[in-house]
Structures are given as structure tokens and as C-alpha cells.
Amino acid sequence: MTVTTLTRQDVVDFLYTEAKILDEWRLMEWPALFTDDGTYTVPPLGDPEADPTKSLFISHDNRARLQERAERLLKKEAHVEYPHSTTVHNYNNILVSNLDSDVITVECNFTIHRTKREVMDTFIGKHTYELVLQNGELKIKSKKVVLHLDSLRPHGKISLIL
């Protein structure tokens, strides 16, 4: 039996790899970072503890919907993202907890810059991850994105993956 020992650096490298995949628009690789029952949620602005059964979320996806989201964004019919935006995902203040347990908790602040048609938008907020080790690889069991914005103006829309 092989026991894999994870380090904080392994977790940080995993997060940076996810960011790189998103920035390089390798979106078909992104859902594979999640467990089969993995979830991706973006609660409504100003209500990070909202209940998805009672509030309208910006995103509340399971892995199948993540795959559909990625496929949709890569099609030419996704006019808002064709040609693709240029994005830079920056993660900082990365706090890793429960490294020795079955579910690793990670919190980090993020800044995402997007340029498109000579306009730059900046998204800021906090990511909360639950990571698990599956077949020797880290996988995302859940990813929650809390936007720290007063409103989506001037952004108007979120057509990228946060």
C-alpha cells in the first residue's frame, strides 16, 4: 500500500495549475479537476451564505454542468467570449487547513483581470475549496466563489470561469 503525503506546496501548486488552465482557455481540462460529485458555486452578491434552494445563484453547477459550461464557452456561438477574453487569475493569502484529513480545506483571495475589446474588468473575491485525494491526485470536491463586488457594474456580465 502506498501512502501519499501531501504538503502545503502540493495544494498551492494544484491551485496555480487550475488558474493556468483557466487562463490558457484549456477549459475542457477544468471539469476533470473535480470529483464526479464535485460542485462549483457562486452565490449572489452580498449573500455568501445564501441557500441555493432559496436564492438565485450566479452559478450552482455539478460536474456535468461544468462540462457543459466549458463546452459552451469554447463555441463560436458564445459571442461574448469569441474571440476569447484574456484573463489572469491571481491567488493570494492561501490558507490550507486539515492537510492530514480526508478533506483538505483551502481559502484564498483572488483577483482576476480580464481584457476584452480594449476594456479591462477586475473581479475580486474569495475562493473556498474542499479538496480530496483520489487515485493519488488532488481533486476539487467543492469550490465556492464569493465575489467581493458591490454590483456587477461595470462588468455587466460574467462570461468567464472565476
Side-chain angles (χ1 to χ4, degrees):
M1 179 175 166
T2 302
V3 176
T4 302
T5 304
L6 289 172
T7 65
R8 180 186 183 283
Q9 190 61 51
D10 294 328
V11 173
V12 171
D13 288 350
F14 178 79
L15 297 182
Y16 290 162
T17 298
E18 181 199 25
K20 182 176 180 176
I21 286 170
L22 294 174
D23 287 339
E24 293 178 353
W25 280 82
R26 296 170 18 217
L27 301 185
M28 297 311 290
E29 296 176 37
W30 182 62
L33 298 177
F34 287 74
T35 61
D36 289 343
D37 63 347
T39 60
Y40 171 73
T41 58
V42 184
L45 295 181
D47 195 3
E49 301 305 322
D51 179 345
T53 64
K54 298 177 181 172
S55 298
L56 181 61
F57 273 47
I58 296 170
S59 179
H60 188 259
D61 294 346
N62 59 22
R63 185 171 167 169
R65 290 185 66 181
L66 296 177
Q67 187 78 29
E68 292 169 4
R69 178 182 300 275
E71 290 171 5
R72 189 173 52 253
L73 284 172
L74 291 170
K75 290 182 179 177
K76 287 184 179 181
E77 291 81 14
H79 300 288
V80 72
E81 282 302 334
Y82 198 85
H84 303 308
S85 301
T86 299
T87 61
V88 175
H89 287 69
N90 291 308
Y91 298 164
N92 57 61
N93 295 354
I94 299 171
L95 299 173
V96 179
S97 304
N98 308 322
L99 197 55
D100 294 329
S101 71
D102 292 340
V103 180
I104 300 166
T105 304
V106 182
E107 294 180 348
C108 68
N109 294 331
F110 69 84
T111 304
I112 302 169
H113 300 285
R114 172 179 63 182
T115 61
K116 177 95 174 161
R117 297 186 179 105
E118 301 179 5
V119 174
M120 183 161 73
D121 296 317
T122 301
F123 299 87
I124 60 172
K126 181 178 184 177
H127 289 311
T128 303
Y129 292 88
E130 288 183 332
L131 304 177
V132 296
L133 196 60
Q134 236 178 31
N135 301 322
E137 295 181 358
L138 278 171
K139 295 285 185 180
I140 301 170
K141 182 171 178 53
S142 69
K143 178 179 179 180
K144 180 178 178 181
V145 180
V146 175
L147 285 164
H148 290 175
L149 301 171
D150 294 334
S151 72
L152 289 180
R153 286 186 179 193
H155 309 83
K157 58 190 169 288
I158 298 176
S159 58
L160 64 144
I161 295 172
L162 298 168

